[in-house]
Amino acid sequence: MKLSRRALTIKPSPIRKLIDTVESLENVLKLHVGEPDFDTPRSIKEAAKKAFDEGYTHYTFTAGIPKLREAIAEKLKQDNRIDADPENEITVTAGGYGALFSAIHAVIDEGDEVLIPEPAWPAYKGFVKLAGGNPIPLPLSPPEYRLNIKLVEERIGERTKMIIINTPNNPTGTVYGEEELRKLAYLALKKGIYILSDEVYEKIIFDDAKHFSIASIPEARNNTISVYSFSKTYAMTGWRIGYVVAPEEVTSAIRTIHSYMISCVSPAIQLAALKALTEPQDYVDYMVNEYRERRDIAFNLLNEIPDVECVKPKGTFYLFPDFSRIERNSLSLAEKLLNEVKVSTIPGAAFGEAGEGHLRISIAASRETIMEAINRIKKFISNSSSSKSPINKPGEL
Ligand code: PLP
């Protein structure tokens, strides 16, 4: 018996594989983690318990409970300046994953090309391939990996159907500015392609940075699909709830795909999400403040390591320092750090060729862990460079 061609075209995410290895090791300082280290706020957990006790334990609306969709529409209006109709344009999904899967399947046909500015979260490639499409990497330039509109325009071809944008960005922490996003929106309109805007880190934003949603541009509403999640904002990664906003026709296709995939998101989880959206957001401010403090600690320590260059990220809980002057092969460096000083990171190559030479450092860990782990990296590098055997083997550069 053979597996489907589709199943054979995709591989498990490289990040997943590394995480599985790390989980089986002991005493590792974990800087690879892609989820908040905070617990879900108690009031949200209480809302779920209450909903389960009250019998919200059955199937519910495919598109999501109307009260939740209305609250989402209100949040979109207030926070994102997006006018979305909860009846026809908002769908509650199984996290950002569910939103991305359904959205990509709703518009991508066999052979369609999807531009993915890289470094990028590796799952995008898998979603596109599963839908039969061709992921086309669009390398962005370090150090900030901002959008290069000219380059995007050059890469849009006959078969291009979509571009995937992720701001604030995993892994670079870059927050795209309003001006560059407006330029992209007008380019996509001119070329007649979709923009898939992944905004799951929208609330984890620092300093003077402002999150801008492309779908707030009225002309861009018809070709923009926006993805949001409760995972990162409310430390709810295990609850699996998010939502997708798209024009009516696309939403209708998204809902059909979503219904075949999971029918609906658990109603009790939806009511907990409703609680999260409609109560004071102090705990979000607390978590973001803590990430900011940790970012500063990590940024300062990383920049003390000779030959390492690190941009100060304006969002997310990741830093993406460049180690290429020390070792170009990021997988090899990440393995050495794991085996020799017991610090786990994600090799930049996991985010595409454009990420090579970098490591993704997560600050979803205590300040003590971050300090100890980066000090170990620093010591490892200084020992290796002072010893006779350089970290780079001949041919690796
Ligand atoms: N988008 C990005 C850029 C992510 O990093 C992740 C998770 O790590 C997701 C989407 C999906 O998250 P979730 O399904 O938990 O909402």
Side-chain angles (χ1 to χ4, degrees):
M1 297 290 275
K2 278 197 181 153
L3 294 174
S4 71
R5 251 182 294 131
R6 218 151 252 185
L8 292 170
T9 58
I10 54 159
K11 295 191 196 85
S13 149
I15 297 187
R16 206 50 275 157
K17 257 169 80 181
L18 194 118
I19 293 170
D20 290 344
T21 314
V22 174
E23 293 307 329
S24 65
L25 300 173
E26 271 173 34
N27 302 323
V28 171
L29 297 179
K30 295 177 181 167
L31 297 189
H32 71 278
V33 181
E35 60 176 331
D37 56 319
F38 298 102
D39 195 5
T40 305
R42 191 177 321 138
S43 53
I44 301 176
K45 291 203 246 180
E46 291 304 330
K49 287 185 209 167
K50 183 165 172 280
F52 281 123
D53 286 343
E54 287 175 358
Y56 287 93
T57 52
H58 294 83
Y59 294 133
T60 184
F61 301 86
T62 289
I65 292 174
K67 263 196 299 188
L68 175 58
R69 276 184 281 136
E70 278 154 28
I72 290 170
E74 189 52 35
K75 174 260 175 190
L76 288 167
K77 191 182 291 173
Q78 297 300 333
D79 299 0
N80 306 84
R81 289 188 282 149
I82 298 174
D83 265 321
D85 170 14
E87 191 62 37
N88 299 306
E89 296 181 317
I90 296 170
T91 308
V92 178
T93 57
Y97 269 93
L100 290 161
F101 183 93
S102 310
I104 289 171
H105 275 76
V107 299
I108 295 305
D109 271 322
E110 286 292 326
D112 283 344
E113 292 182 353
V114 177
L115 294 182
I116 305 179
E118 282 188 352
W121 187 49
Y124 297 136
K125 257 188 208 155
F127 290 127
V128 171
K129 283 189 181 167
L130 266 182
N134 280 334
I136 307 289
L138 185 73
L140 297 175
S141 317
E144 283 205 51
Y145 297 102
R146 297 208 155 269
L147 279 177
N148 179 339
I149 304 299
K150 227 176 124 232
L151 193 64
V152 176
E153 181 156 19
E154 278 165 23
R155 290 294 177 97
I156 296 178
E158 282 280 290
R159 300 233 53 177
T160 310
K161 185 89 175 268
M162 172 188 268
I163 180 165
I164 301 180
I165 295 301
N166 171 216
T167 180
N169 188 276
N170 173 12
T172 64
T174 300
V175 177
Y176 297 144
E178 176 170 342
E179 204 179 315
E180 61 195 317
L181 290 170
R182 280 189 184 275
K183 282 188 189 153
L184 179 76
Y186 293 117
L187 175 65
L189 264 180
K190 187 173 91 179
K191 299 280 187 180
I193 65 168
Y194 282 105
I195 297 177
L196 181 54
S197 179
D198 178 346
E199 302 176 28
V200 301
Y201 292 95
E202 60 173 335
K203 297 292 177 192
I204 305 175
I205 207 146
F206 314 124
D207 313 330
D208 53 350
K210 287 202 170 45
H211 175 68
F212 182 76
S213 299
I214 292 192
S216 66
I217 306 168
E219 302 93 302
R221 276 290 273 116
N222 261 340
N223 64 330
T224 303
I225 305 172
S226 315
V227 169
Y228 302 92
S229 177
F230 289 85
S231 289
K232 318 283 177 176
T233 308
Y234 299 102
M236 289 175 72
T237 46
W239 297 62
R240 313 310 304 130
I241 182 161
Y243 49 98
V244 52
V245 185
E248 186 170 342
E249 194 190 0
V250 178
T251 292
S252 163
I254 284 175
R255 287 181 182 175
T256 307
I257 289 156
H258 163 75
S259 74
Y260 279 110
M261 186 166 51
I262 58 163
S263 166
C264 62
V265 172
S266 152
I269 303 299
Q270 293 197 47
L271 290 174
L274 177 63
K275 177 78 178 166
L277 268 191
T278 51
E279 69 177 342
Q281 305 289 291
D282 318 20
Y283 45 65
V284 178
D285 296 342
Y286 170 80
M287 289 189 269
V288 174
N289 264 324
E290 182 59 29
Y291 292 136
R292 181 188 304 113
E293 300 270 337
R294 295 173 186 177
R295 177 215 46 184
D296 289 344
I297 292 169
F299 172 75
N300 290 332
L301 286 174
L302 284 163
N303 276 314
E304 278 174 16
I305 307 178
D307 289 332
V308 171
E309 276 165 42
C310 186
V311 171
K312 202 175 202 172
K314 293 285 190 180
T316 74
F317 36 71
Y318 308 116
L319 291 93
F320 201 57
D322 180 356
F323 285 81
S324 60
R325 283 164 67 196
I326 295 160
E327 171 146 9
R328 171 101 191 117
N329 184 330
S330 58
L331 179 60
S332 160
L333 179 59
E335 280 173 353
K336 282 175 199 156
L337 292 175
L338 183 59
N339 296 329
E340 295 184 30
V341 291
K342 295 222 179 303
V343 173
S344 62
T345 57
I346 303 275
F351 306 94
E353 182 51 41
E356 191 51 296
H358 293 242
L359 293 177
R360 190 189 76 178
I361 305 276
S362 164
I363 48 167
S366 71
R367 296 181 192 201
E368 295 70 34
T369 301
I370 294 167
M371 285 193 266
E372 171 64 19
I374 300 179
N375 280 326
R376 283 191 198 177
I377 297 176
K378 186 175 173 184
K379 226 191 239 163
F380 171 78
I381 287 172
S382 82
N383 287 345
S384 314
S385 55
S386 61
S387 77
K388 284 214 171 85
S389 60
I391 302 183
N392 283 310
K393 290 191 221 93
E396 264 183 1
L397 270 172

